[in-house]
Amino acid sequence: MTVLSRAWRYGLAMISCAIALALAIPLDSPSSCFFLAIILSSLYGGKGPGFLSVLLSSAAFDYFFLPPKYNFWIQSASYPRFAAFLVPGLLITVVIEAKRRVEQSRSQIDAKYRQVSADALAEAQKSEARMRLIIDSIPVPAWSSRADGSADFINQRWLDYTGLPMEEALGWGWKIVCHPDDLDRTMEYWRLVLSTHEERELEARLRRFDGTYRWFLFRVSPLRDESGDIAQWYGTCIDIEDRKRAADALRASELKFRLIVHSIPGLVATMTPQGDLELVNQPVLDYTGLAFDALRDWWATRLLPEEELPGVAAKWKQSVETGCEYNVEHHMRAADGAYRWFHVRALPLRDNQGSVVRWYCVLTDIEDHKRTEEALRSREQQLRLMVDSIPALVTTMTPAGETEMVNQQLLAYTGQNAEDLTNWHEKIHPEDRRRVSECWRTSVENGTPYEAEERIRRADGVYRWFHSRGLPMRDTEGHIVRWSLLLTDVEDRKRAEEAVRASELNFRLMVHSIPGLLYTSTAAGEVEVVNQPLLNYTGKSLDELKNWPAMVHPAELPAVTSLWAHAVETGHPFDVDLRVRRADGMYRWFHARGLPLRDIDGRIVRWYNLLTDIEDRINAEDALRTRQRELSLIIETIPALVWCAAPAGELTYVNRRVLDYIGTTVDTLIRDGWTNFLHPDDFDVTVRSWSHAVATGEQHEVQYRLRRSDGAYRWFQVLGQPLRDSEDRVTRWYGLLIDIDDRKSMEEALRSTQTRLSRATQTATVGELAASIAHEINQPLAAVVTNGHACLRWLTAEPPSLPKAREAVERIVRDGKEAGEVVRRIRALFKRAALEKVALDLNDVIGEVLRLLGGETTKRRVTVETDLETTLPPVVADRVQMQQLVLNLIMNGLDAMDAVPCHSRKLFIRSRQHCEDTALVEIQDSGAGLKDPDKIFEAFFTTKENGMGMGLTICRSIVEAHDGRLWASPAEDHGTVFRFALPLKSGVAA
Amino acid sequence: MKPGSDSPVVFVVDDDYRVREALSSLISSAGLAVVTFGSAAEFLESEKPDSPACLVLDLELPGTSGLELQRELAASVAPPIIFITGHGDVPSSVRAMKAGAIEFLSKPFGDEELLQAIDGAVSIDRTARQRRSELAELQKHYALLTPREREVLPCVTAGLANKQTAAKLGTSEITIGVHRGQIMRKMGAQSLAELVRMADKLGVSRETGPV
C-alpha cells in the first residue's frame, strides 16, 4: 500500500468520524452515526482505519454523550452503555474486516484465475505453435488429428516421405498412402483408438513418394483438455521396414529353424525368457505322447518323477534367473509310461543388449548311455571288489611310476590312506629300498616286467617280505598306459625257507661236529661222503679215503674186509672193532658200525657208517683188568684176614690168610658158619654187634678170640665196613681181622705195671708231702703245747686265773682233735683200697686236697684261688683215685711255679659243668708254661731233677679209667692249664 | 700288767689263729702286754706304742714272709725279732740269725724258751731305746754348735792343745779357748773325757795327731 493510499484511508476514517459526530450531536443518535462511520471506515479503509474510527467514535461518544458530558471520565453507571457502544463497534470492524478479506481474496483468485486462463490459453497457443514446430522437426513422420480422427496437421517429414502435399493429406486424405492391404486394418485400428481412447500401435505400410511401400509403426497419444476429453490426437510413424524385414527374415529363419527343430532326431524345446515352454519339436511330442499344451505345464504333469522334480525345477529356475547354461540329467516319462534318462541342456539366446530372448533346450535320451554306464559302474564295482578282496596287495601306477590306485588290502596292510601312499618308497624296508628302486627304474625305463622281493612295513611297524610283480599295460600303439603290480606276502615262506636253511646249517654243523667219524658208502660198498672229523683224523682227502683198507691196521684188516663184504652182500648191519690209522701214523681203536638205508622196494640205497673212538675205553679196560689182578694179589698178600659178606650178612669171600689161619676151606667155612670158630666168651658180643651192623648198616667193630688151626685162641680186632651203592643201600660187607693178640697181652702187662707204678708213685708222693704233712700237723701241735704252757702259768700266776687256764685247755682239746683229723685224712688218701666208684662231688675232693696241701702252698708262697661251681652234679668215681688225681695235678702245678718269683705264684682251680653230661675241672698255674703239652703225659718224661715222670701219666690213666679225658694247654698269660673232664653220673639232670 | 710307757709290748705275727691264741694266752700269763697280727702287712700298718717291744714272728707267712719283714724292718727302728716256725730248717734259721734275729724257735717250743727270749729282747730293746734317746739328746746339743765349733770339736777331742788347734784352723788361741768353753757348755760335758765320749757317740771323728 502506498503512503498516499494509507493517508487517504486513515483520513477517510477521521473524516467519517467527524461527520458522524457532526450528525450525531444534532440527531442525538450517536450510535447509528458512529456505527456508520465505523462501517465506512472499515469497509473502505481497512482494518487500521476501522479500528481508528472505533477509537475516535468511542472517544467522541464518551466525551460528548456519556455523562459526565464533556469529560473523558466514565462513571460507573455509564459502563454498560459505553460497553454497548464499544463492543458492537469493534465487532462491526472485525466482521467487516473479515468479509473484506474474503472478498479480497476471492477477487484475487478470480483475477488470478483469469490470469491463468489467459496465460494458459496463451501458453496453449504458444505450445501448440511450438508443437507444430517440433512435429515438423522430429525425424519421423508425425501428425496430429482431431478428436474424430481426421488429421489436422501433418509434419514435413511425413509430407516428404509420402510426397503428398499437406492439403491433400489433411483430413482423411492420408488414407491414400496406406497400403491397400493394410487400409482396413488401419481404419479398424483408428476406430478402436478413437472409441477407447487408448493409446495403441499399428503396423502398416505407407507408400513412399517413389511408390514403394515401407512398413511403419503407428503410435498415437491423445491430448486431453480441461474436461478430460480428448482434444487432440498426436501420432508418429516409425519406419520399421528394416525391422520388419529383419523380423520377416527372422521369422523365415525361425520357420526354417522350426523345421529343423522338428526334423532333428532329438528332443528340442524352446522357452521364453521367463522359462515357460514356448515350442517343442515333434519328437518331444512323440516321445511324451502329450500335446504341447499339456507340456507347457511340464512341472505339473507326471513328466518328471516326483523325486527329481523339485531339484530340476529349482535348477531351471536358477538358470532362468541368472541366465546361466542349464545342464541337468533327469528322468522323463515316455508315452508308454516308462521313465528314461535324459540329458537336458538349455542355452539362452541373447539379443544385442544381452538380455535373454529365448531359451533353447535340447533333451538327449541317455537312457541307454546310462544303462551302459550303470553296467560299467557295477562291473567296475565288481572289479574293484575283486581287486580289493584278492589276498594280495594290488596297485597300479602311472607310466612315470606314481601310484594311481591301491586296493583295499594294501590300504589295510599299510594302515594308510590312498593319498599317503603316493610315497610308497617309505613303506619299503630301508635295506631293500635301493635294490627295489633300481629294479623298478630298470623296468619302467625298459618296459620290462618288474619282479622283486622286498620288505614292506605293516601298519603296526612290523616288516614282512613281499614278492612284487609288475606288468605294464600298453595301448594299441604300444605305449605303456599303466603299471599293474601285485604284491604277495611271502613272509611265511621266507621264514620257512630261513628255517630250512638254518636247520640245514644245523644239521651240517651237527654232522661235522659229532664226535664220531661218519661216512656213507654206496650199496656196492664204496666210500661216498665223509664228515669233517673223519678227514681231520685221517688227514686224507675224500678221494684218498675211498681206498679205506689202507687206513685199517693190518692185524684187523682181514677180519674187517670179510665182515664188510659179508654185510654188503647180505645187507645185515655190521659191527667190528678195528684200529684206524691217524694222520700222524698212530693207530687208535675204533668201533665201526654200519647200517643200510633201504628204499621202498627194500633195496639198499646207501650205507651209513659210524666210527667211534674206543681207544681210551680199550685202554681203560686193559688197565682195569691189570688193576683187578693186582688187587686180588694185594688182598691175598696183606697180613690181615679179609672177608666179604653179602648185605644180609652171609660170608661170601675170605682171603688166603683166613683159610690158612683157621685151617679150613672156604666151603667148609661158609657151610659150618664162621661163628663156630669164635671163643665161647666172645660169641654173644660178636654176634650181637654183627647182627646190629647188618641190620643198621653201621660199622661193625669188635674184639674177639678166634680159634687157630692148632686150637689156640688169639685176639682179633674185627672191622666191618659196608659198601653202599648210589642209593645208599648196602651192597656188600668188607671185613678186616687184625691179629691183636700180642698187643692185648702187652696191654695187660702195661696195665699191671702201671698199677704197680701208680702205687709206687703214691708212695713217692707221700714222701714229697712229708714236709707239708709235718707242717700241717705241726701247727695244731705247736698250739697245743703253747696252750699247755700257758695253762700252767695261769694256774701258777699270782693270782692264779682259772678262767684263762680253762680257755687254754679248751683250745688244747680243739687243736688236738684237728691234728687227729689231718692224720686220718692223710691215711685215707694213701690207703690201698680197691677201686670203689661212688657218686661223689668233685668240689669236695678238691677241698679236701687243698686242705691237705694248705701248708705246702703256704710254704711255697703260692696263692690259691678257687672257682668251684656249687651246683656241679656228682660224678661216679673212686674217691681215693680222684684225690690222688687232684693232688698230683696240684703238686705238679706247684712244682711248675718253683722257678717263678714268689709274688706271682698263683694256683687257680675251677670246676664247672661242661655240656650236659660232663664235669670239667681246671687247674692252672702261673709257671713258665709247657713246651710240649702232650709229651708231659708220657711215661718217664719229667723236667724235674728228682722226678720220676710218672705223675701225669698216672693222672691220665686214672682219668681214662673213669672214661674221662685229661689234657694240658697253655694258659692265657703264662703258665699251664690242666683240664680233666669226667662224665657226670648219668640220669642226673643239670 | 704294769702300766706306763715303760711297760713292754710283745707283737705276735702268725697266720695260724690257733698259734696266735695260744701265744697270746701264754705271754699274757707272763704278765706282758701282747698284740697279735695275722700277717706282716697288718703289723706294718698298725700304730705301735712307744714302749719297749719285741716281735714274735712266724717264718711262713702269706704274702710277705717273716724273713722279708725282718729285712724291711731292718731299714728302720724296729723291735727285736724272735722267729718261730713249724718247719725249722737250718738254712732259714741261719739266715734269720744273721739278719739280726734274737732267737729262732721251732714249733712246738717250750714256754720258758719263749719267755726268756722275750725278756731278753725287751731288755735289749729297752737299752737300745735308752741309747737312742741319749744319742738324740747329744745330737740336740750338737745341733746347737756353730759350724766353727764343730770344726774345733774334733781337734779338742783329739787332745790337741788350743795352740795347735788354733794353728790348724788359722785362728788365735784365745778364740779356740772361747770355742772350747762354748763347746763344753753346749754339750754339757763336765770334763774333756766326757766330751770325748760324747763325740765318739756322735760319731764325730777325731783329728789325727798334732800338726
Side-chain angles (χ1 to χ4, degrees):
Chain A
M1 292 288 188
T2 61
V3 176
L4 199 65
S5 64
R6 199 183 287 175
W8 196 90
R9 280 187 298 122
Y10 281 98
L12 174 67
M14 280 191 286
I15 292 165
S16 59
C17 284
I19 296 170
L21 183 61
L23 289 169
I25 294 174
L27 294 172
D28 200 26
S29 59
S31 308
S32 40
C33 294
F34 281 119
F35 283 156
L36 200 69
I38 291 168
I39 288 164
L40 279 170
S41 310
S42 306
L43 212 57
Y44 296 108
K47 187 169 63 179
F51 280 116
L52 180 66
S53 67
V54 168
L55 185 68
L56 289 169
S57 305
S58 310
F61 180 69
D62 176 33
Y63 192 75
F64 290 107
F65 298 95
L66 280 179
K69 283 189 186 174
Y70 308 112
N71 196 344
F72 280 111
W73 173 252
I74 308 167
Q75 68 185 59
S76 51
S78 305
Y79 275 161
R81 216 176 144 199
F82 182 72
F85 176 82
L86 184 64
V87 169
L90 284 168
L91 266 170
I92 290 165
T93 312
V94 169
V95 168
I96 288 174
E97 178 61 31
K99 249 308 185 196
R100 233 173 58 88
R101 203 162 285 167
V102 167
E103 269 297 333
Q104 203 165 33
S105 60
R106 191 177 292 168
S107 64
Q108 261 179 358
I109 287 168
D110 271 350
K112 207 168 264 167
Y113 177 70
R114 257 197 293 282
Q115 182 72 22
V116 166
S117 301
D119 284 340
L121 198 65
E123 199 61 42
Q125 280 177 344
K126 209 185 291 174
S127 77
E128 195 171 334
R130 205 183 301 132
M131 200 83 182
R132 290 219 177 153
L133 204 64
I134 288 169
I135 286 175
D136 263 339
S137 16
I138 61 178
V140 288
W143 44 264
S144 70
S145 63
R146 304 185 192 86
D148 64 359
S150 55
D152 62 353
F153 173 75
I154 297 175
N155 79 342
Q156 191 56 46
R157 221 158 292 198
W158 200 98
L159 297 168
D160 286 341
Y161 173 77
T162 54
L164 275 181
M166 174 94 71
E167 305 79 23
E168 275 184 45
L170 283 174
W172 295 103
W174 53 271
K175 283 206 287 199
I176 57 172
V177 292
C178 289
H179 195 280
D181 297 334
D182 301 328
L183 189 59
D184 292 330
R185 226 166 20 91
T186 308
M187 294 324 294
E188 180 57 41
Y189 159 76
W190 211 195
R191 194 182 57 75
L192 211 61
V193 166
L194 290 172
S195 60
T196 62
H197 294 179
E198 283 170 14
E199 291 183 22
R200 281 186 185 270
E201 286 177 2
L202 173 72
E203 285 176 11
R205 284 164 283 193
L206 281 181
R207 198 184 64 208
R208 204 160 55 171
F209 58 88
D210 61 0
T212 55
Y213 283 92
R214 291 180 71 82
W215 279 96
F216 279 87
L217 180 69
F218 291 94
R219 276 217 189 98
V220 290
S221 57
L223 175 71
R224 296 183 191 271
D225 60 13
E226 304 92 19
S227 53
D229 294 328
I230 306 289
Q232 197 88 353
W233 286 100
Y234 289 97
T236 56
C237 316
I238 300 177
D239 189 334
I240 58 165
E241 178 64 29
D242 297 324
R243 200 187 81 180
K244 240 328 185 207
R245 276 211 194 124
D248 280 342
L250 195 68
R251 203 174 298 115
S253 83
E254 202 170 308
L255 210 67
K256 209 192 292 169
F257 166 72
R258 199 175 284 252
L259 212 66
I260 291 170
V261 165
H262 279 296
S263 359
I264 60 175
L267 283 68
V268 177
T270 63
M271 265 77 89
T272 61
Q274 290 76 38
D276 304 316
L277 200 62
E278 198 183 33
L279 170 72
V280 291
N281 73 345
Q282 195 54 44
V284 174
L285 301 166
D286 291 340
Y287 173 79
T288 57
L290 297 169
F292 176 73
D293 292 323
L295 280 170
R296 219 199 287 265
D297 307 324
W298 57 272
W299 57 87
T301 59
R302 294 277 300 263
L303 195 63
L304 268 64
E306 274 178 30
E307 58 273 10
E308 293 179 32
L309 190 55
V312 169
K315 280 212 193 79
W316 177 235
K317 191 154 113 52
Q318 193 188 19
S319 287
V320 165
E321 281 170 10
T322 58
C324 289
E325 181 182 326
Y326 171 82
N327 211 339
V328 166
E329 283 179 10
H330 58 79
H331 278 102
M332 263 193 6
R333 194 161 63 86
D336 59 4
Y339 283 92
R340 291 174 73 81
W341 274 103
F342 275 86
H343 174 245
V344 182
R345 187 146 180 265
L347 287 169
L349 178 71
R350 296 180 192 276
D351 60 10
N352 300 346
Q353 283 83 31
S355 49
V356 177
V357 168
R358 188 177 288 116
W359 285 93
Y360 289 95
C361 183
V362 177
L363 299 88
T364 331
D365 186 336
I366 57 164
E367 178 68 23
D368 297 323
H369 168 85
K370 266 264 189 252
R371 284 226 183 107
T372 320
E373 226 182 67
E374 277 289 337
L376 207 71
R377 206 178 297 124
S378 72
R379 258 267 294 286
E380 199 186 315
Q381 193 86 332
Q382 264 182 1
L383 223 67
R384 184 157 274 270
L385 212 71
M386 208 157 70
V387 166
D388 275 340
S389 37
I390 58 173
L393 315 186
V394 178
T395 173
T396 61
M397 303 208 179
T398 62
E402 286 156 17
T403 312
E404 210 177 30
M405 182 278 296
V406 288
N407 80 335
Q408 190 55 38
Q409 297 283 354
L410 183 56
L411 292 172
Y413 179 80
T414 56
Q416 302 223 307
N417 302 324
E419 303 86 46
D420 301 332
L421 275 169
T422 47
N423 190 11
W424 54 269
H425 220 127
E426 281 181 356
K427 295 280 139 225
I428 296 178
H429 194 281
E431 290 169 12
D432 302 326
R433 270 184 210 159
R434 207 165 58 78
R435 181 172 48 85
V436 166
S437 332
E438 276 291 320
C439 210
W440 177 240
R441 207 155 45 74
T442 319
S443 288
V444 167
E445 276 172 12
N446 302 335
T448 50
Y450 163 79
E451 191 161 352
E453 280 188 358
E454 68 265 3
R455 280 165 284 184
I456 299 181
R457 195 172 177 282
R458 199 165 57 179
D460 58 7
V462 171
Y463 284 93
R464 288 178 74 83
W465 280 101
F466 280 86
H467 176 254
S468 52
R469 189 164 164 68
L471 285 171
M473 199 170 298
R474 297 178 193 279
D475 60 10
T476 47
E477 281 141 51
H479 298 302
I480 294 172
V481 164
R482 180 182 296 121
W483 283 91
S484 311
L485 287 99
L486 181 75
L487 294 87
T488 16
D489 189 328
V490 296
E491 176 73 21
D492 299 325
R493 192 194 75 188
K494 264 239 184 287
R495 282 222 189 115
E497 274 177 14
E498 283 285 344
V500 166
R501 207 175 300 127
S503 93
E504 195 182 325
L505 209 70
N506 233 14
F507 273 115
R508 193 170 286 269
L509 216 68
M510 213 156 68
V511 163
H512 283 299
S513 334
I514 56 173
L517 315 183
L518 270 172
Y519 67 95
T520 64
S521 21
T522 61
E526 286 165 28
V527 173
E528 213 178 9
V529 177
V530 294
N531 78 340
Q532 195 58 39
L534 180 53
L535 294 169
N536 290 349
Y537 176 78
T538 54
K540 301 259 187 279
S541 67
L542 175 59
D543 287 323
E544 287 170 309
L545 281 173
K546 289 201 199 281
N547 180 22
W548 60 267
M551 300 281 96
V552 179
H553 194 276
E556 284 95 41
L557 189 56
V560 169
T561 318
S562 70
L563 258 167
W564 177 232
H566 178 78
V568 165
E569 251 178 63
T570 59
H572 288 147
F574 85 102
D575 281 280
V576 74
D577 289 345
L578 73 161
R579 271 171 290 183
V580 179
R581 195 170 176 282
R582 199 165 57 180
D584 61 1
M586 296 297 299
Y587 283 93
R588 286 181 73 82
W589 277 101
F590 281 86
H591 176 78
R593 184 165 171 74
L595 285 169
L597 176 75
R598 294 176 193 280
D599 61 10
I600 303 169
D601 303 318
R603 277 198 299 269
I604 293 172
V605 172
R606 191 179 291 120
W607 283 91
Y608 288 97
N609 311 297
L610 175 68
L611 290 163
T612 335
D613 188 326
I614 55 165
E615 174 75 20
D616 299 327
R617 195 191 77 185
I618 296 277
N619 289 344
E621 276 176 8
D622 284 339
L624 203 70
R625 226 171 284 125
T626 322
R627 267 261 299 283
Q628 220 168 321
R629 242 177 289 130
E630 277 178 27
L631 221 65
S632 54
L633 210 69
I634 289 170
I635 291 180
E636 292 300 320
T637 334
I638 58 174
L641 285 67
V642 178
W643 53 264
C644 297
E650 50 297 355
L651 208 60
T652 53
Y653 167 81
V654 286
N655 79 342
R656 181 93 248 136
R657 283 199 184 260
V658 173
L659 300 171
D660 289 344
Y661 176 81
I662 296 178
T664 180
T665 60
V666 178
D667 300 318
T668 324
L669 191 63
I670 291 172
R671 189 193 59 212
D672 294 345
W674 54 277
T675 49
N676 280 352
F677 299 91
L678 294 174
H679 192 281
D681 294 343
D682 305 323
F683 186 85
D684 290 327
V685 175
T686 309
V687 167
R688 209 172 338 132
S689 174
W690 179 232
S691 316
H692 177 77
V694 167
T696 61
E698 280 172 24
Q699 196 172 300
H700 163 62
E701 192 175 345
V702 108
Q703 291 177 355
Y704 59 73
R705 283 157 284 187
L706 197 65
R707 196 173 68 232
R708 202 164 51 183
S709 55
D710 64 359
Y713 282 95
R714 291 180 71 77
W715 277 101
F716 282 87
Q717 172 142 8
V718 82
L719 213 64
Q721 284 267 20
L723 175 73
R724 291 177 192 280
D725 61 7
S726 54
E727 276 142 57
D728 224 34
R729 280 190 304 238
V730 176
T731 55
R732 198 176 292 140
W733 284 97
Y734 287 104
L736 196 68
L737 288 157
I738 307 171
D739 189 329
I740 56 164
D741 197 83
D742 299 329
R743 196 187 81 182
K744 260 257 194 268
S745 40
M746 271 200 281
E747 267 181 17
E748 279 291 343
L750 192 69
R751 206 174 298 120
S752 62
T753 313
Q754 264 192 329
T755 319
R756 282 206 297 275
L757 215 57
S758 103
R759 295 238 173 84
T761 323
Q762 278 180 351
T763 324
T765 318
V766 172
E768 278 181 29
L769 293 178
S772 355
I773 292 168
H775 183 269
E776 202 57 33
I777 296 170
N778 240 4
Q779 290 288 85
L781 216 60
V784 162
V785 168
T786 311
N787 279 318
H789 285 305
C791 176
L792 285 171
R793 285 204 166 253
W794 283 122
L795 287 173
T796 57
E798 293 291 331
S801 169
L802 279 172
K804 291 261 194 243
R806 191 197 194 82
E807 278 169 24
V809 172
E810 277 167 358
R811 285 197 294 275
I812 289 167
V813 172
R814 183 195 68 191
D815 296 341
K817 276 189 185 155
E818 273 189 39
E821 260 312 308
V822 172
V823 171
R824 194 161 24 80
R825 258 189 269 124
I826 291 167
R827 275 200 69 216
L829 188 65
F830 299 108
K831 218 164 38 170
R832 290 175 194 171
L835 274 185
E836 205 182 299
K837 286 195 181 165
V838 291
L840 59 84
D841 186 355
L842 280 173
N843 291 340
D844 284 343
V845 174
I846 293 167
E848 282 171 12
V849 172
L850 280 176
R851 255 197 297 280
L852 191 69
L853 293 177
E856 193 63 28
T857 54
T858 312
K859 176 178 150 194
R860 294 183 195 227
R861 309 239 177 291
V862 172
T863 322
V864 177
E865 273 180 35
T866 58
D867 176 16
L868 307 174
E869 191 177 283
T870 46
T871 56
L872 187 68
V875 299
V876 176
D878 179 77
R879 181 173 286 272
V880 174
Q881 290 217 318
M882 284 299 108
Q883 284 170 340
Q884 184 171 11
L885 169 70
V886 173
L887 186 77
N888 273 355
L889 289 174
I890 291 174
M891 283 306 296
N892 197 73
L894 294 179
D895 288 338
M897 291 189 283
D898 274 342
V900 169
C902 292
H903 52 80
S904 57
R905 289 181 192 162
K906 260 191 159 171
L907 194 71
F908 187 59
I909 303 174
R910 194 152 155 244
S911 78
R912 67 176 196 278
Q913 180 178 1
H914 179 68
C915 305
E916 274 188 13
D917 57 355
T918 317
L920 185 71
V921 175
E922 292 174 2
I923 296 165
Q924 177 177 345
D925 66 64
S926 59
L930 293 168
K931 279 203 214 62
D932 198 335
D934 287 321
K935 204 168 165 64
I936 49 167
F937 291 103
E938 279 175 24
F940 306 113
F941 175 83
T942 179
T943 52
K944 299 180 213 162
E945 271 180 37
N946 298 323
M948 272 199 303
M950 282 307 296
L952 286 174
T953 318
I954 292 170
C955 287
R956 194 169 244 185
S957 67
I958 292 174
V959 169
E960 280 171 5
H962 286 86
D963 301 319
R965 205 160 62 92
L966 172 65
W967 70 100
S969 47
E972 269 173 23
D973 293 332
H974 46 83
T976 318
V977 184
F978 282 88
R979 292 188 180 88
F980 67 88
L982 293 171
L984 293 172
K985 179 160 183 271
S986 57
V988 178
Chain B
M1 304 234 200
K2 296 174 192 169
S5 65
D6 197 36
S7 55
V9 173
V10 180
F11 300 110
V12 174
V13 181
D14 195 314
D15 62 333
D16 191 327
Y17 70 98
R18 296 169 293 200
V19 172
R20 277 204 302 275
E21 283 170 1
L23 280 174
S24 178
S25 179
L26 181 64
I27 295 165
S28 0
S29 76
L32 296 165
V34 59
V35 183
T36 62
F37 301 96
S39 67
E42 270 182 52
F43 171 71
L44 287 169
E45 278 163 23
S46 75
E47 221 185 272
K48 292 162 243 350
D50 184 29
S51 39
C54 79
L55 175 60
V56 176
L57 182 57
D58 185 13
L59 205 58
E60 298 83 30
L61 288 174
T64 318
S65 70
L67 286 172
E68 279 170 7
L69 181 61
Q70 179 189 37
R71 218 177 307 131
E72 263 184 59
L73 291 176
S76 61
V77 173
I81 300 171
I82 301 162
F83 277 101
I84 57 170
T85 178
H87 292 284
D89 68 319
V90 172
S92 313
S93 68
V94 167
R95 235 188 308 191
M97 295 310 290
K98 275 193 174 171
I102 303 295
E103 190 58 84
F104 195 95
L105 304 169
S106 49
K107 304 175 190 165
F109 40 76
D111 59 339
E112 279 299 327
E113 293 174 286
L114 184 67
L115 290 171
Q116 270 178 4
I118 288 170
D119 272 336
V122 165
S123 59
I124 288 167
D125 195 48
R126 195 173 276 134
T127 321
R129 282 163 57 82
Q130 190 155 5
R131 215 174 320 126
R132 271 201 299 276
S133 70
E134 276 181 15
L135 189 61
E137 192 71 30
L138 279 177
Q139 276 174 337
K140 224 188 332 182
H141 288 302
Y142 185 76
L144 295 173
L145 295 178
T146 66
R148 197 54 166 168
E149 285 161 359
R150 289 198 197 140
E151 278 177 9
V152 171
L153 182 59
C155 302
V156 168
T157 53
L160 294 175
N162 287 358
K163 197 188 306 192
Q164 287 168 320
T165 312
K168 196 173 167 66
L169 297 177
T171 59
S172 71
E173 199 183 322
I174 300 175
T175 316
I176 294 300
V178 172
H179 283 317
R180 195 179 177 134
Q182 289 284 57
I183 291 166
M184 294 293 279
R185 192 178 52 76
K186 282 184 187 176
M187 294 302 290
Q190 302 299 333
S191 65
L192 175 64
E194 206 177 325
L195 184 69
V196 169
R197 277 202 293 279
M198 280 181 190
D200 281 348
K201 281 186 194 159
L202 284 169
V204 175
S205 64
R206 296 182 214 180
E207 272 301 321
T208 50
V211 168

